[in-house]
Amino acid sequence: MINDENHSRLFAPSETVEAAAWRAELRNDELSDITFNGIPVLRAIRAVVRDHDWRTLAPTVSRVAQHADGATTLLLDIDFAGFGSSYTGELAIHLMKDSVKVTFDGVAPAAFRSNRIGLVVLHRPDDAGRAVTIGSPGGASSPSFFPKDISPHQPFLDVSLMEWERDGTRFRLDFQGDVFETEDQRNWTDASFKTYSTPLSKPFPVDVSAGDRVHQSVLLTATPGPVVPVLRPGPERVLTVLDGGTARVPALSLSATSATAPRTRSEPIPGLDALLLELAPGPDAEGSIRRATDEAMDLDVPLDVRLSVDSPDRIGELLDLLPLDKVLRLAGFDAFSHVTEPGLWDELKDQARQRGFSGALLAGARSHFTELNRNAGRLPPDADAVSFSITPQMHATEVPHVVETLPMQRLVALNALRIGSGRPLHLGPVTLKARFNAVATEGDEAAAEATDPLQPETFTAAWLMGSIAALSVPGVESVSYFEATGPRGIRETGGLTPAGELLAAVAAVRGCEVLDVAGEVPGLVFYPVRDGGRTVLFAANLTAKSLSVVVRLPGGDSTNLELEPWTAVVRRVD
């Protein structure tokens, strides 16, 4: 039974907003999925307030709508609150014949420290490679392109306007109230490029006094060219499983249960690869190793150890505590930069060699792909493999945003394979919420916020299936998901969660061929696997509506799949 809090997230209301040729969805404070004459234009426009550690204050919205002469006006009163800070503002949305204008007026009711306040525009991920003209506040303009490969740094700076063309229509964005710039949010698996203010070249955080105000606006205009029919695929409900594929099911791992979680004995999961232990120096290091070793013994798997140290000199003391004969892989990261620094790498190699360690040595980032991407030139060339972590909620917690990260996971994996010159990837931890705040300016308080209430829901199994499918590409050798037990884990006192059951089913077909599929159903993840002489169909419904699909099998037979909202299913067929 879904509790009220989770139900409100999974089935959050969405309202269609229309005027003339414009159409969008209003999701709480966000004007999303903006189209013009059926042409996709922007992923979203919204106002954000972030505190001194880049944490996003949650918006609460009341709304007034007005309609007149083919135009629509929405007035949103928004109260932002969280992390001991608050802010208030009014978002005015005007949809007219050839334009959409969004204006934000905000005021601080009390003093706080902030890194960002104002409007952000989310551009669509399929704009990658599209030509765009960037205008600066001084009046100059320059041609450019949205980057295809994930850009480690801001592709566009000093932005006052942007112009591009899509499906025969010219679009333009004008920004007022601050200087804007664009970052590639695909670094964090967000499905967007984001244009925002204030430029990161200016000092942050800043002190915001009670009564301080912000006024910003974004004007989106459309100039239609000759009428070009825009063909959109109809609702396809038939999928055909092909007799072959290029991907294999990656090995799956779990992370060691957090020390604060109660001890629950884990049962072995056939096919499970390892238990990932994140280890830092400190008074509880020995206890963490002991607990993880016992848990790995329960699961009948080796350890995959990721060290985080404030100095290379600390590596040796941690290796002396570890049962290295039970360690499959070993990685080392700097506790502050979150990446494998050159000096740290040299020390890790030397200390591991002295102790006779024969497993794989990994390098990369303990945080997001972002840090790996920004330090690509410093990646040790002799690392056996590359690693980084994934979380879908760096910038937004709404379920549509969490779901949209899934295809971006494949993109970051492909970019990491490029950066690593084809070296294998061992990814993880992959968690619903961040394990720590990698961009905090004043310490890290994320640990207390690292548990998502959705963890035990069927949604998490569906999202897990989408992630496994996205990361099933040649070169991804293993992925570590969630924790073994506890509130962030796949097992509760009553047994495996839905995500745990799904993970166990996929682990059982480790290394099997993932079959190609003809056809696509929006919102459906379909993952057929050849297991010996039979086929195993994995499917997940990542929508708030029921789905019914006909599946045609290689031998000519067909089967029907019926999926409730936010669920995953497993079916074995001969």
Side-chain angles (χ1 to χ4, degrees):
M1 185 70 178
I2 302 175
N3 64 37
D4 291 342
E5 177 185 358
N6 288 338
H7 191 278
S8 65
R9 281 182 72 190
L10 292 171
F11 299 94
S14 176
E15 178 182 352
T16 300
V17 181
E18 295 181 285
W22 296 102
R23 181 184 176 96
E25 295 294 317
L26 183 64
R27 299 173 182 164
N28 196 33
D29 65 317
E30 178 182 84
L31 189 69
S32 62
D33 297 333
I34 301 169
T35 65
F36 180 81
N37 278 332
I39 301 169
V41 184
L42 293 175
R43 171 61 189 83
I45 303 174
R46 73 190 309 176
V48 300
V49 180
R50 297 209 163 105
D51 76 355
H52 62 283
D53 275 333
W54 292 108
R55 297 173 299 189
T56 303
L57 277 61
T60 301
V61 177
S62 57
R63 181 178 66 84
V64 176
Q66 302 171 0
H67 306 272
D69 299 328
T72 297
T73 297
L74 303 174
L75 301 177
L76 309 183
D77 289 322
I78 309 177
D79 292 318
F80 301 89
F83 316 106
S85 302
S86 63
Y87 199 81
T88 63
E90 181 184 81
L91 194 71
I93 303 170
H94 305 281
L95 288 84
M96 294 159 280
K97 180 181 179 182
D98 294 322
S99 67
V100 174
K101 186 173 185 178
V102 179
T103 302
F104 178 66
D105 288 286
V107 62
F112 75 111
R113 304 182 74 208
S114 173
N115 289 345
R116 179 170 300 152
I117 301 174
L119 292 170
V120 300
V121 172
L122 303 183
H123 308 268
R124 295 175 55 85
D126 58 4
D127 279 332
R130 189 178 305 281
V132 60
T133 298
I134 304 298
S136 67
S141 63
S142 58
S144 190
F145 293 88
F146 284 98
K148 288 185 178 179
D149 288 337
I150 301 175
S151 177
H153 302 290
Q154 282 73 5
F156 312 133
L157 300 172
D158 202 28
V159 176
S160 64
L161 70 87
M162 306 175 77
E163 289 186 289
W164 71 100
E165 184 176 313
R166 187 180 184 120
D167 293 338
T169 296
R170 191 77 178 169
F171 296 99
R172 172 173 169 143
L173 280 167
D174 287 273
F175 301 89
Q176 298 289 334
D178 204 341
V179 177
F180 286 70
E181 63 188 25
T182 304
E183 72 182 9
D184 194 337
Q185 287 204 134
R186 299 176 301 170
N187 275 292
W188 296 273
T189 68
D190 294 72
S192 60
F193 304 90
K194 179 175 68 181
T195 300
Y196 61 89
S197 67
T198 304
L200 292 177
S201 58
K202 293 189 176 183
F204 63 85
V206 298
D207 292 320
V208 180
S209 301
D212 284 358
R213 291 184 173 273
V214 166
H215 176 84
Q216 293 181 0
S217 67
V218 173
L219 177 65
L220 170 64
T221 54
T223 305
V227 176
V228 177
V230 180
L231 301 177
R232 305 295 177 202
E236 178 65 52
R237 291 291 182 268
V238 178
L239 300 174
T240 301
V241 180
L242 304 180
D243 192 16
T246 59
R248 297 275 171 179
V249 179
L252 301 183
S253 299
L254 296 168
S255 284
T257 301
S258 301
T260 55
R263 166 75 165 149
T264 301
R265 182 178 176 83
S266 296
E267 298 294 332
I269 296 176
L272 194 68
D273 179 58
L275 184 74
L276 190 152
L277 170 63
E278 295 186 280
L279 184 64
D284 195 42
E286 289 188 71
S288 296
I289 294 171
R290 183 176 60 255
R291 288 189 296 270
T293 302
D294 290 344
E295 196 163 49
M297 188 176 300
D298 290 345
L299 291 165
D300 194 24
V301 294
L303 291 170
D304 180 348
V305 180
R306 314 289 169 91
L307 307 179
S308 176
V309 295
D310 55 10
S311 168
D313 297 338
R314 310 299 299 273
I315 289 176
E317 67 180 81
L318 291 178
L319 295 187
D320 284 339
L321 299 175
L322 284 166
L324 289 178
D325 59 324
K326 299 177 181 177
V327 176
L328 179 66
R329 291 182 287 268
L330 188 60
F333 309 112
D334 183 272
F336 301 105
S337 69
H338 312 305
V339 299
T340 307
E341 299 287 353
L344 186 153
W345 174 250
D346 291 339
E347 186 70 11
L348 178 66
K349 286 193 304 179
D350 183 58
Q351 295 291 338
R353 188 182 302 114
Q354 288 183 29
R355 290 160 177 79
F357 178 68
S358 59
L361 290 178
L362 279 55
R366 76 181 184 114
S367 52
H368 314 94
F369 170 77
T370 315
E371 283 71 38
L372 175 65
N373 199 16
R374 291 175 177 173
N375 292 276
R378 303 169 69 213
L379 187 69
D382 53 346
D384 295 321
V386 176
S387 179
F388 62 91
S389 299
I390 295 174
T391 178
Q393 298 187 67
M394 175 63 182
H395 295 109
T397 62
E398 294 89 349
V399 166
H401 285 275
V402 174
V403 170
E404 289 168 355
T405 66
L406 293 170
M408 299 301 104
Q409 291 187 18
R410 172 165 291 194
L411 185 65
V412 296
L414 293 173
N415 274 253
L417 288 167
R418 170 181 56 81
I419 289 170
S421 301
R423 278 173 288 179
L425 300 180
H426 292 281
L427 302 179
V430 179
T431 54
L432 280 183
K433 296 194 75 173
R435 300 152 10 255
F436 64 96
N437 187 349
V439 294
T441 58
E442 295 183 0
D444 170 29
E445 300 177 6
E449 305 154 13
T451 301
D452 194 312
L454 291 175
Q455 186 72 40
E457 302 288 357
T458 59
F459 165 83
T460 303
W463 187 87
L464 171 63
M465 189 66 259
S467 177
I468 294 171
L471 296 174
S472 293
V473 295
V476 176
E477 291 199 356
S478 76
V479 190
S480 180
Y481 289 98
F482 312 136
E483 295 183 3
T485 63
R488 304 171 203 168
I490 66 160
R491 185 184 296 276
E492 298 178 308
T493 54
L496 291 175
T497 65
E501 293 175 350
L502 189 280
L503 185 140
V506 178
V509 292
R510 170 182 176 177
C512 290
E513 183 181 28
V514 181
L515 301 174
D516 291 335
V517 177
E520 183 178 355
V521 176
L524 178 76
V525 177
F526 186 57
Y527 189 79
V529 174
R530 175 177 284 132
D531 180 18
R534 62 181 182 175
T535 301
V536 185
L537 306 179
F538 297 89
N541 180 0
L542 285 164
T543 76
K545 298 180 180 180
S546 298
L547 287 177
S548 178
V549 184
V550 176
V551 177
R552 294 173 179 163
L553 302 169
D557 293 336
S558 296
T559 187
N560 294 334
L561 293 178
E562 305 288 340
L563 292 97
E564 294 300 311
W566 309 120
T567 58
V569 298
V570 182
R571 180 177 298 178
R572 292 169 175 82
V573 294
D574 293 331

